[in-house]
Amino acid sequence: MTQQSELIIEPLSGRPANACVFILHGLGADGYDFEPLVPQLDLPAGAEVRFIMPHAPRLAVSVNNGMTMPAWYDILSVDLGRELDTGQLASSAERIQRLMRDQIEAGIDSRRIVVAGFSQGGAVAYQAALTFDQPLAGLLAMSTYLADPDVPGPGDGAALPIEAHHGTADPVVPESLGRQGVEALRALGYAVEYRTYDMAHALCPEQIGDISRFLGARLG
């Protein structure tokens, strides 16, 4: 059975969606990885949110001995520079942007779209949201890094609301790497809220509360 390209969860109320949240999974996972998060979120009344969780393609990943697995892009080195296939990163970001435009064409205001991502998916979320040509409700980057620092500044319009989360004991994506990306964005003029948690490469209950707060503030 062929897997669909994304998991879509419609508003639990049964009413039509008036907002959309994209959540991009990490390396080796798939869109179903974040399905259990949705019922744990405390969203405000009136926010009828459609969650879209795309599945990454299967690629050979160099740092995993060339093993084929779900991946948004190939990782060539896991040092602090995180050498990667920038063409695949851009291609994945463009795919997410096409899905965002599909939602806009279906009637969702771009200012009611949030892009979120975890780990490798967070790097794609950064790229997709920061290079999108329409205003968005927000960007949530979890346990991730800014893979391409050559992104545009916020410009003359309203800055994109960005929140970044990271575990202080993360052995996969060091917290220093996540902080480095946040500082680079702040230098460009973005106001980034940065939160850390006593955890490894994962989510924790305190963070889920902060995710609910962030989405509520952006989509309430």
Side-chain angles (χ1 to χ4, degrees):
M1 182 176 178
T2 302
Q3 186 183 53
Q4 293 183 340
S5 58
E6 60 268 343
L7 169 65
I8 301 176
I9 302 175
E10 296 292 350
L12 300 179
S13 67
R15 290 187 285 271
N18 59 26
C20 183
V21 174
F22 287 87
I23 305 180
L24 312 184
H25 63 78
L27 178 67
D30 60 25
Y32 293 98
D33 200 40
F34 280 90
E35 185 177 14
L37 173 65
V38 174
Q40 298 181 62
L41 297 175
D42 182 18
L43 300 177
E48 307 296 347
V49 180
R50 173 181 294 129
F51 288 88
I52 299 181
M53 304 175 185
H55 307 303
R58 295 184 64 84
L59 302 173
V61 179
S62 297
V63 295
N64 288 343
N65 298 315
M67 185 181 299
T68 299
M69 62 182 62
W72 298 104
Y73 50 84
D74 186 21
I75 301 174
L76 307 174
S77 168
V78 291
D79 59 18
L80 282 181
R82 274 302 195 277
E83 186 182 357
L84 53 94
D85 188 316
T86 55
Q88 290 175 342
L89 170 68
S91 178
S92 288
E94 288 165 4
R95 173 189 163 195
I96 301 307
Q97 290 176 338
R98 288 194 297 271
L99 293 174
M100 292 157 65
R101 290 191 179 93
D102 288 344
Q103 291 302 304
I104 294 168
E105 291 175 5
I108 302 293
D109 190 320
S110 71
R111 291 164 294 187
R112 290 187 62 75
I113 295 177
V114 171
V115 183
F118 178 83
S119 194
Q120 197 188 56
V124 176
Y126 266 139
Q127 189 72 13
L130 293 170
T131 63
F132 196 57
D133 59 1
Q134 298 185 54
L136 298 171
L139 166 61
L140 177 61
M142 300 175 285
S143 301
T144 191
Y145 54 98
L146 184 65
D148 181 6
D150 187 22
V151 293
D156 297 329
L160 173 68
I162 304 173
E163 187 157 305
H165 297 173
H166 220 111
T168 55
D170 191 333
V172 178
V173 179
E175 190 263 333
S176 60
L177 189 58
R179 187 182 296 272
Q180 178 180 308
V182 168
E183 292 173 351
L185 290 176
R186 286 174 174 167
L188 285 173
Y190 290 100
V192 186
E193 185 74 28
Y194 186 57
R195 299 180 184 276
T196 59
Y197 307 87
D198 183 16
M199 65 177 185
H201 197 62
L203 297 185
C204 66
E206 179 187 358
Q207 181 186 14
I208 292 172
D210 287 333
I211 293 170
S212 295
R213 178 200 49 74
F214 179 76
L215 294 180
R218 305 277 68 81
L219 303 176

